[in-house]
């Protein structure tokens, strides 16, 4: 399962990392890709996930799934925010590996420039990323 820890990591892994236990991290692992490989998902065009502590930052006046379908969108999120450093440890390094493997320009869109603008954080430690990310407590994916 997604909460299991491979034997080679068992004695090297912190069971509580930044206050996040194995169960929470297993959920993150599952939602980062394997959820889309589940046979039941083949019958759907969109998946909408909602964390137990997720909330809508405003009232919904329209159906977000309908809008995504009509506008041929592939990802919907509730808001963009900066996360705490302990919650995103090594996140940017793995994003860069993915970005580079896919030939994506990390400053190629307005949104990516916003996410990678280190001046937003006014912090030289992060260099390329300001810890701003899509908050996926509520997300819709195609």
């Amino acid at each position: 399962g997604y909460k299991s820890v491979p034997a080679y990591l068992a004695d090297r892994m912190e069971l509580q990392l930044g206050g996040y236990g194995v169960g929470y991290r297993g959920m993150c692992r599952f939602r980062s890709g394997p959820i889309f490989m589940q046979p039941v998902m083949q019958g759907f065009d969109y998946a909408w996930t909602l964390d137990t502590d997720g909330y809508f930052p405003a009232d919904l006046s329209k159906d977000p799934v309908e809008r995504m379908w009509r506008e041929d969108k592939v990802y919907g999120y509730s808001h963009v925010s900066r996360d705490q450093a302990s919650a995103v440890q090594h996140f940017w390094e793995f994003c860069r590996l993915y970005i580079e493997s896919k030939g994506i320009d990390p400053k190629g869109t307005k949104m990516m420039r916003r996410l990678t603008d280190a001046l937003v954080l006014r912090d030289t430690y992060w260099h390329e990323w300001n810890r701003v990310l899509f908050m996926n407590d509520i997300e819709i994916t195609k």
Side-chain angles (χ1 to χ4, degrees), residues 5-122:
V5 178
Y8 69 92
L9 287 177
D11 61 342
R12 298 174 31 204
M13 189 178 107
E14 293 180 52
L15 295 181
Q16 289 289 327
L17 184 61
Y20 299 98
V22 174
Y24 176 81
R25 290 167 22 215
M27 179 271 306
C28 293
R29 180 179 171 197
F30 179 69
R31 284 178 47 187
S32 70
I35 187 174
F36 303 105
M37 306 301 185
Q38 299 299 310
V40 70
M41 297 304 292
Q42 301 308 308
F44 296 94
D45 294 324
Y46 292 93
W48 187 344
T49 58
L50 173 65
D51 284 4
T52 57
D53 64 345
Y55 63 93
F56 292 101
D59 289 340
L60 296 178
S61 60
K62 297 183 180 177
D63 180 340
V65 177
E66 162 71 21
R67 179 177 175 196
M68 288 184 64
W69 177 80
R70 190 173 10 87
E71 297 177 14
D72 198 29
K73 303 290 185 185
V74 297
Y75 186 72
Y77 54 93
S78 61
H79 59 290
V80 175
S81 184
R82 183 175 300 117
D83 213 339
Q84 57 189 341
S86 65
V88 294
Q89 188 176 22
H90 304 299
F91 180 74
W92 181 244
E93 290 88 343
F94 285 100
C95 284
R96 282 299 299 228
L97 287 171
Y98 178 83
I99 287 168
E100 290 171 13
S101 76
K102 298 296 183 182
I104 298 170
D105 178 359
K107 300 207 183 274
T109 66
K110 183 178 178 181
M111 180 58 80
M112 285 301 291
R113 286 189 295 278
R114 178 177 176 196
L115 297 177
T116 58
D117 182 359
L119 294 176
V120 169
L121 192 57
R122 310 249 188 272

Side-chain angles (χ1 to χ4, degrees), residues 52 130 133:
T52 57
N130 54 28
L133 45 76

